[in-house]
Amino acid sequence: MTGEKQPVRVAVLVSGGGTNLQALLDALDDSPARPARVSRVISNRTDAGALARARRAGIPTTVLHNSSDPNELLAALDDAELVVLAGYMKLVPPAVVARFRRRMINIHPALLPAFGGPGMYGQRVHAAVLASGVKESGATVHYVDDEFDRGPIIAQARVPVEPGDTPATLAARVLEAEHELLPKVVLDLARRLS
Ligand code: GRF
């Protein structure tokens, strides 16, 4: 044993294109002390673009057969120390949430507690933000608990809502903020865990 610290093993759950996963991979690669590494990428969809990003980066992947089966997910999470939901569209079974309490985080594309909860995903979030007339939106990283988008908030990044915004233009602005916020929080948590 050299006594050197091993990077914290981070499992990332994805359903979509995986730009947040990519931001995380890039940031962890660039981080000199490397307090964390992505140890596995897990998806409920075989066609998630995020899986291709993981494979390109040489990271093992798992596609879940049944995302509501806690045992299947627990087996895939294996020796993960931190779990990141990065565009994961399924509810995590309570047994898995309990196993990773305060070690599982989610990123949501709005300033929670507003504009979260069941049905609030993708462009719907940004459409609701625009319909409400608020002047600011942003991204939230929070711990996962048994309800969608309800766990304790860890950090938020704010962006302005601009005149003439559409759900798509607002989504793009928020996504950029997500790509900065998520790696920052993961690195911070990893330093505290290691
Ligand atoms: C992000 O907006 C994230 O906040 C939400 O889903 C989107 C995922 O985008 N939960 P990507 O797959 O990381 O590109």
Side-chain angles (χ1 to χ4, degrees), residues 163-187:
D165 260 343
T166 63
T169 59
L170 181 56
R173 195 173 308 119
V174 171
L175 196 58
E176 236 177 83
E178 291 182 50
H179 295 162
E180 274 196 35
L181 181 68
L182 185 63
K184 240 193 254 170
V185 172
V186 169
L187 282 167

Side-chain angles (χ1 to χ4, degrees), residues 16-21 50 86-89 106-109 122 126 175 178-179:
T19 63
N20 277 293
L21 168 68
Y88 185 62
M89 304 298 282
N106 178 48
I107 184 149
H108 182 78
H126 307 293
L175 196 58
E178 291 182 50
H179 295 162

Side-chain angles (χ1 to χ4, degrees), residues 28-52:
L28 295 183
D29 267 357
D30 288 351
S31 168
R34 223 164 171 253
R37 68 179 175 91
V38 176
S39 54
R40 180 165 296 274
V41 172
I42 301 167
S43 177
N44 62 306
R45 298 179 59 136
T46 44
D47 61 349
L51 288 174

Side-chain angles (χ1 to χ4, degrees), residues 40-106:
R40 180 165 296 274
V41 172
I42 301 167
S43 177
N44 62 306
R45 298 179 59 136
T46 44
D47 61 349
L51 288 174
R53 293 180 191 270
R55 291 185 191 118
R56 231 177 291 144
I59 296 182
T61 60
T62 301
V63 176
L64 300 172
H65 296 103
N66 175 6
S67 60
S68 49
D69 174 0
N71 293 325
E72 192 188 355
L73 186 48
L74 283 171
L77 289 170
D78 184 31
D79 62 353
E81 297 164 281
L82 185 64
V83 182
V84 177
L85 274 53
Y88 185 62
M89 304 298 282
K90 295 287 180 180
L91 195 63
V92 177
V96 182
V97 174
R99 159 84 175 73
F100 287 95
R101 198 161 290 284
R102 291 297 185 276
R103 284 178 176 240
M104 182 180 286
I105 64 174
N106 178 48

Side-chain angles (χ1 to χ4, degrees), residues 8 35 143 154 185-194:
V8 169
Y143 288 110
I154 303 168
V185 172
V186 169
L187 282 167
D188 197 45
L189 290 179
R191 285 190 190 102
R192 280 195 255 155
L193 286 174
S194 60

